[in-house]
Amino acid sequence: MGALAEHYRASRVSERLLLTGHSHQAWPDVARDAQLEAFDDAAALLDEKWSRAFAKAERVRQGWLRLLGDDGSGVVTLADSTHTLLVRLLSAWDWGTRPRIVTTDGEFHSARRQLARLEEGFIDVVRVPAEPVETLAERLAAEVDDDTGLVLVSKVLFGTAHVVPHLAALAAAARRHGTVLVVDAYHAVGALDWSLADDDLHDAYVLGGGYKYLQHGEGVCAMRWPRGTTLRPYVTGWFAEFADLSAAPAGAVGFGDGPERFAGSTYDPTSHYRAARVLDFFDEHRLTPARLREVSVHQVGRLAAGVAALDVDPGVLAVAVPDPAERAGFLALRTPHAAALQAALLERGVLTDHRGDVLRLGPAPYLRDDQLDEAVALLGECLRSRPAG
C-alpha cells in the first residue's frame, strides 16, 4: 500500500511516522479540491448553493449505508458529531415511563459524560463492566428489562480496539423488551469488514463518524436508524421540515420517514463536499471494507510482532488484545508508563496517543512496513532509556 502515499503529499505521510490513524488519519490531497469546490459554489451561488450541498450530503448518506451493509431497512441522518445525534435520539424517548439506560464502563467520553449528567437528574444508568469482552453482550442482555428505554454499546471498544462479539444476543433482548439498541460503530467502520447483518442489527440505531479510519475529517458523523420508526425527538431543528416549510401548520410538529426526522438546522456543508470526494477516492483505489481490513490486520500484526520481538517485561508493556481476530484498527499496549512513552515517542518524531494506562499505535493504509518497523524500534529505544522503577 506504500504507493498510496503519493496521494497524501500535503500531509507528507511518506516522511513521517504517523501512528494516530485510529484518531485522525491524514486526508488525501483530493480533500483540498473538495473544500475549494465548496467555496466556489458558495461564492458563485450564495444561498442557491444548497441544492449542490444536499447532493453531497446524499452521497455521504449512501456511502454510510453501503459501508454498514444496510439492506434497505435503514435511513441515515448526518450531523457534526455523534454527540449531537445521540442527544437528539435521547430526547425522543419517554423517560417518564422507562427511565433506565443500560451501557458499559468502556464507552467513549461523549456518551459517558452525557449519560453521567442525565444520571444526576432523572435517568437510572446501569454500567456493565466491559471486561471480559467475550461475555459483554450476554451480560448486557441480562440487564435489559421492561423499564429499560435504551441500551448503548460499542462494536469496538475505543480504549483497546477490542471487538465486542455476540451483539445479536443483545439485539434480541432489546427487541423482546421494546428497548432501543444503540451501537457505537466509530471504531468499526473502516477498520472491520463488518455489516449490520453480522450482528442482526437491522432495527438498531448505529452511530459513527468519518474523522478516523475513513479520512473524511471533522464534521461528518452519521446515525443509521430503522426506517419506519415512530420516535419523535424533542431536540429538533428546522431542517427537519426544510423540504416543505409551507406545509408546517402552526403548533404542529411533524416528522417524516426520511433523514430529516433527526435533522438539525443550518450547517457548514464543506465537510460533506470533502467526505463525498474522499468516498469517491476510496472507490477509485478499491479501498473497500474488506481491503481496509486486510491492510489493517497486516499492519497491526506487524506492529504486534515487532513489540513481541522487543522482549519487554509484561509488567512494563504488554499487548492488551493478543488475538488478531479480536482487535480492530490499532494496537493497544498496556503500560504504567503510557503517558511518558507517548511523550518520548513524540520527541523522536513518532505520533501516538494514550488513554489511561494504554498506549495506542494506529497505522493507516498509506504507511509502509519500514515506517512501522522504525516506529517500533524507537519504542524500544524509549523503553531502554526510561528511568528505572
Side-chain angles (χ1 to χ4, degrees):
M1 295 296 289
L4 200 63
E6 68 179 86
H7 301 287
Y8 299 79
R9 290 180 179 174
S11 295
R12 297 186 295 109
V13 300
S14 64
E15 307 165 28
R16 304 162 72 193
L17 301 179
L18 304 176
L19 287 180
T20 51
H22 55 288
S23 179
H24 187 321
Q25 292 195 8
W27 301 352
D29 296 331
V30 295
R32 182 179 185 275
D33 300 333
Q35 299 215 147
L36 291 173
E37 181 187 359
F39 177 89
D40 290 344
D41 281 356
L45 302 173
L46 302 177
D47 208 32
E48 298 302 313
K49 71 185 179 187
W50 287 104
S51 60
R52 295 193 182 183
F54 290 160
K56 301 296 185 182
E58 180 60 19
R59 170 69 177 100
V60 179
R61 282 194 292 269
Q62 292 303 316
W64 271 96
L65 289 170
R66 190 174 69 172
L67 286 165
L68 292 170
D70 189 272
D71 61 1
S73 63
V75 181
V76 165
T77 298
L78 302 174
D80 61 337
S81 70
T82 54
H83 177 255
T84 295
L85 293 162
L86 179 62
V87 167
R88 291 180 197 161
L89 178 58
L90 289 169
S91 78
W93 199 252
D94 182 2
W95 297 110
T97 58
R98 304 188 75 168
R100 190 168 183 266
I101 292 176
V102 174
T103 187
T104 84
D105 64 2
E107 300 308 309
F108 188 68
H109 303 301
S110 54
R112 173 196 56 77
R113 176 180 169 83
Q114 187 62 71
L115 297 187
R117 180 66 181 98
L118 291 174
E119 189 178 25
E120 292 179 349
F122 56 93
I123 300 297
D124 176 24
V125 180
V126 177
R127 295 177 183 81
V128 174
E131 301 288 344
V133 175
E134 292 75 11
T135 62
L136 177 54
E138 289 83 353
R139 289 182 287 115
L140 285 167
E143 292 288 347
V144 177
D145 59 20
D146 290 340
D147 290 330
T148 305
L150 181 144
V151 58
L152 170 66
V153 64
S154 293
K155 176 59 185 175
V156 175
L157 298 180
F158 83 97
T160 62
H162 211 149
V163 179
V164 179
H166 315 309
L167 288 184
L170 179 57
R175 211 169 287 129
R176 284 195 303 271
H177 293 281
T179 299
V180 169
L181 172 60
V182 183
V183 177
D184 182 346
Y186 217 135
H187 276 282
V189 180
L192 298 179
D193 185 12
W194 170 78
S195 72
L196 302 175
D198 294 338
D199 285 308
D200 194 19
L201 299 179
H202 62 276
D203 52 356
Y205 293 71
V206 181
L207 295 168
Y211 187 68
K212 306 178 189 299
Y213 307 95
L214 300 178
Q215 303 174 14
H216 294 173
E218 300 87 348
V220 191
C221 289
M223 179 171 71
R224 180 271 179 197
W225 46 274
R227 188 183 303 276
T229 183
T230 58
L231 294 183
R232 302 173 72 247
Y234 279 96
V235 178
T236 182
W238 73 282
F239 265 41
E241 53 189 21
F242 186 90
D244 190 1
L245 289 172
S246 63
V253 180
F255 294 91
D257 287 332
E260 67 276 0
R261 175 173 287 267
F262 291 97
S265 297
T266 310
Y267 63 95
D268 180 358
T270 305
S271 60
H272 294 164
Y273 277 76
R274 187 176 62 239
R277 185 62 190 90
V278 174
L279 282 166
D280 291 343
F281 172 81
F282 271 42
D283 285 349
E284 292 159 10
H285 291 273
R286 300 180 182 177
L287 298 177
T288 63
R291 179 59 175 150
L292 289 171
R293 178 57 176 167
E294 179 185 359
V295 173
S296 177
V297 168
H298 167 76
Q299 291 184 326
V300 177
R302 191 175 185 96
L303 289 170
V307 169
L310 296 176
D311 195 24
V312 180
D313 180 347
V316 174
L317 186 106
V319 173
V321 186
D323 188 341
E326 295 178 0
R327 62 189 178 219
F330 64 92
L331 185 68
L333 301 172
R334 290 201 185 278
T335 170
H337 311 288
L341 286 172
Q342 181 195 352
L345 284 166
L346 184 59
E347 290 177 357
R348 290 164 173 80
V350 185
L351 276 67
T352 63
D353 67 7
H354 79 281
R355 294 291 183 268
D357 68 346
V358 174
L359 178 68
R360 305 193 303 178
L361 310 182
Y366 42 71
L367 294 179
R368 305 182 308 273
D369 284 354
D370 65 282
Q371 291 175 289
L372 305 180
D373 296 343
E374 182 180 356
V376 173
L378 290 169
L379 173 60
E381 180 182 304
C382 293
L383 288 164
R384 289 189 297 272
S385 62
R386 69 182 178 83

